Amino acid sequence: MRQFTFASCALYFLTGLTAISIGSVMPELLSYYHASYTIGGRLIFVGAMGFLAGVLLTSYLNRRFHPKVLLTLSALLIATAQFSILVLPPFPLFMALYFLNSVGSASIGIVVATMFIEVFIGRQAVAMSYLEVSFGLGAFTMPLLASFFIAHDIWRYLFVITAVLAVLLAIVWTRISYSKTMVDTREPLDASGSSDTQRPLSIQLKWVVLSFFGLIVFLYGGLEGSLNNFMSSIFMNYLNQAAYYASISVGIFWGAMVIGRAATAFVIRRLTYSKFLLMSICGTIVSLLFFILLKNALTGYIFVGTLGLMMSGIYSITLVYANYSIPNSAHLVTPIISGLSGLGSAVFPAATGFALDRAGVAMTLWYIVGIAIAYLIFLLVINQLRSGRIKFNWHLRRAQPAFAGRRTRYK
């Protein structure tokens, strides 16, 4: 089972590398193609659309092919795209290759996450935290590698690393085996996973709850995407930092993300999914408020670090919480959550860029706070729906007296 877990984490590390690879060499790339940052924005959008296409395609194929086949083909697709990007083909072809790269990354994310949800019953959050740490390490490592390659004027060969790693993992996954019976049941469970009881939901209510989960993960994708893409600009224009010092904020954010994701594996054994998410999003809002109100460079870097810590586990625990609330539906829930997160990371940053141009940095920061508050509100709605405190489809409940008035406590 350790081989399965390690190989899965290695795939997430690969997706972390490829997710940041284009952005890490964006200035050199645009200079080579004599393109503007507007064209660069279109390239990022094409990548987001590739991710969404990968989610939809994988959702269709996941029930028709063995996960090993899909993971091997996805790794080979990434390898092909990265090797082809290395030769710097005409820009339209470059965009097509980046689209394919994103399709492969999305497929890996969906398949691996679905396997973890189905295999690590009762401790999905602990297992998912390993994947999230691996992705964060990849995202943190790529800019460091890029700076070395750029300094030596060999930036295009950065794509060799990801291509070779993808080929190696494709070979590895032809030899990996796994089974639910191989899981060590003595391992500690999530705080929520250790509870055997939770209130059953009607079919209609399950769809309502899933819709709200899709909404909050859409909001979270927008929140993280906006901060990732515009944090340096915020430091430059709101805190008057030079470009070099402003870029450090992104490294602090992702470094804190990695630390927070590693800590999630331990914290989630003591906190239920709902409590963890409530504490995380409240901490995110408080960090943003202090960042805005203090308007100081030194404290700004500190609160960017706390932002990374607070936000580090939100996506993975939202995914696990959704699957926990709607059990035995991982093949449906996981693609929906992943796809809407990717859509949010494509849509909201575009709105954030527009807000920066038209409304200024201060108003944009309050808009970002609004995204986080909206997440909190809809998370509270989900908790109320699951507890039965919000009555939905009342006439249907009257037709089912066996469940009427039942108030089962759950974590």
Side-chain angles (χ1 to χ4, degrees):
M1 204 62 188
R2 288 184 178 180
Q3 290 182 344
F4 165 73
T5 304
F6 181 80
S8 300
C9 289
L11 282 174
Y12 255 62
F13 178 78
L14 172 66
T15 59
L17 289 174
T18 57
I20 309 297
S21 60
I22 297 297
S24 298
V25 295
M26 182 67 79
E28 288 71 21
L29 194 63
L30 296 180
S31 176
Y32 177 85
Y33 284 107
H34 304 290
S36 65
Y37 276 98
T38 300
I39 300 299
R42 292 177 186 173
L43 179 62
I44 299 301
F45 182 78
V46 165
M49 292 301 101
F51 184 90
L52 291 177
V55 169
L56 295 173
L57 180 62
T58 306
S59 301
Y60 174 78
L61 297 176
N62 215 3
R63 289 185 176 273
R64 292 164 175 80
F65 295 93
H66 194 279
K68 288 172 57 176
V69 175
L70 292 177
L71 291 176
T72 300
L73 291 176
S74 298
L76 289 175
L77 182 61
I78 290 176
T80 301
Q82 294 284 307
F83 270 126
S84 301
I85 287 173
L86 170 65
V87 302
L88 298 177
F91 197 71
L93 179 56
F94 186 100
M95 296 181 76
L97 291 169
Y98 188 49
F99 180 91
L100 292 177
N101 180 87
S102 299
V103 170
S105 295
S107 181
I108 287 174
I110 296 295
V111 174
V112 173
T114 301
M115 287 193 301
F116 268 50
I117 294 294
E118 293 179 335
V119 170
F120 294 101
I121 303 298
R123 55 191 186 96
Q124 294 101 326
V126 173
M128 285 297 297
S129 69
Y130 300 151
L131 296 179
E132 289 295 291
V133 168
S134 301
F135 181 92
L137 286 173
F140 182 72
T141 301
M142 179 53 74
L144 300 179
L145 292 173
S147 64
F148 174 82
F149 279 72
I150 292 171
H152 290 80
D153 197 27
I154 53 173
W155 58 270
R156 68 161 68 183
Y157 296 103
L158 184 67
F159 301 107
V160 173
I161 295 176
T162 49
V164 171
L165 178 60
V167 170
L168 291 176
L169 289 177
I171 296 172
V172 167
W173 268 96
T174 62
R175 302 175 179 273
I176 294 295
S177 61
Y178 73 96
S179 170
K180 295 180 182 180
T181 60
M182 295 170 61
V183 179
D184 188 352
T185 56
R186 296 171 298 178
E187 289 289 330
L189 299 173
D190 305 339
S192 292
S194 61
S195 174
D196 294 325
T197 60
Q198 65 167 322
R199 177 177 169 271
L201 304 178
S202 67
I203 294 176
Q204 289 83 358
L205 189 53
K206 284 181 179 180
W207 282 105
V208 174
V209 170
L210 179 57
S211 298
F212 276 107
F213 271 115
L215 179 57
I216 64 172
V217 83
F218 175 72
L219 290 166
Y220 175 75
L223 177 63
E224 184 179 308
S226 295
L227 291 173
N228 270 337
N229 287 284
F230 296 104
M231 190 174 292
S232 293
S233 299
I234 291 171
F235 266 78
M236 291 174 63
N237 295 289
Y238 191 69
L239 300 180
N240 299 315
Q241 293 295 288
Y244 172 78
Y245 293 107
S247 65
I248 296 175
S249 63
V250 181
I252 293 175
F253 179 75
W254 271 105
M257 274 277 204
V258 172
I259 294 172
R261 287 173 176 178
T264 298
F266 302 96
V267 175
I268 205 61
R269 295 170 184 170
R270 294 166 177 81
L271 294 177
T272 60
Y273 302 144
S274 59
K275 288 181 180 178
F276 179 92
L277 289 175
L278 284 171
M279 292 178 62
S280 296
I281 196 62
C282 288
T284 297
I285 294 169
V286 170
S287 298
L288 285 169
L289 290 176
F290 274 113
F291 181 90
I292 296 170
L293 297 175
L294 293 180
K295 199 177 181 180
N296 176 271
L298 178 60
T299 57
Y301 287 109
I302 293 173
F303 287 115
V304 162
T306 61
L307 262 179
L309 288 174
M310 292 295 103
M311 293 174 61
S312 59
I314 291 180
Y315 171 75
S316 61
I317 303 305
T318 301
L319 173 62
V320 172
Y321 190 24
N323 278 281
Y324 175 74
S325 302
I326 309 170
N328 305 316
S329 302
H331 285 274
L332 171 67
V333 175
T334 302
I336 289 176
I337 296 299
S338 300
L340 288 174
S341 174
L343 183 62
S345 65
V347 172
F348 279 94
T352 302
F354 180 82
L356 284 170
D357 287 335
R358 300 299 179 90
V361 182
M363 288 300 297
T364 302
L365 285 169
W366 287 111
Y367 150 77
I368 292 174
V369 172
I371 298 174
I373 292 175
Y375 179 103
L376 173 61
I377 292 171
F378 291 117
L379 175 63
L380 292 172
V381 171
I382 289 172
N383 292 339
Q384 295 296 305
L385 284 170
R386 292 186 70 250
S387 66
R389 295 188 181 95
I390 295 179
K391 300 298 182 182
F392 175 78
N393 212 354
W394 182 76
H395 71 278
L396 182 62
R397 286 177 175 274
R398 292 194 63 183
Q400 298 175 345
F403 293 96
R406 181 177 292 181
R407 297 293 298 274
T408 303
R409 290 179 61 85
Y410 66 92
K411 293 186 178 183

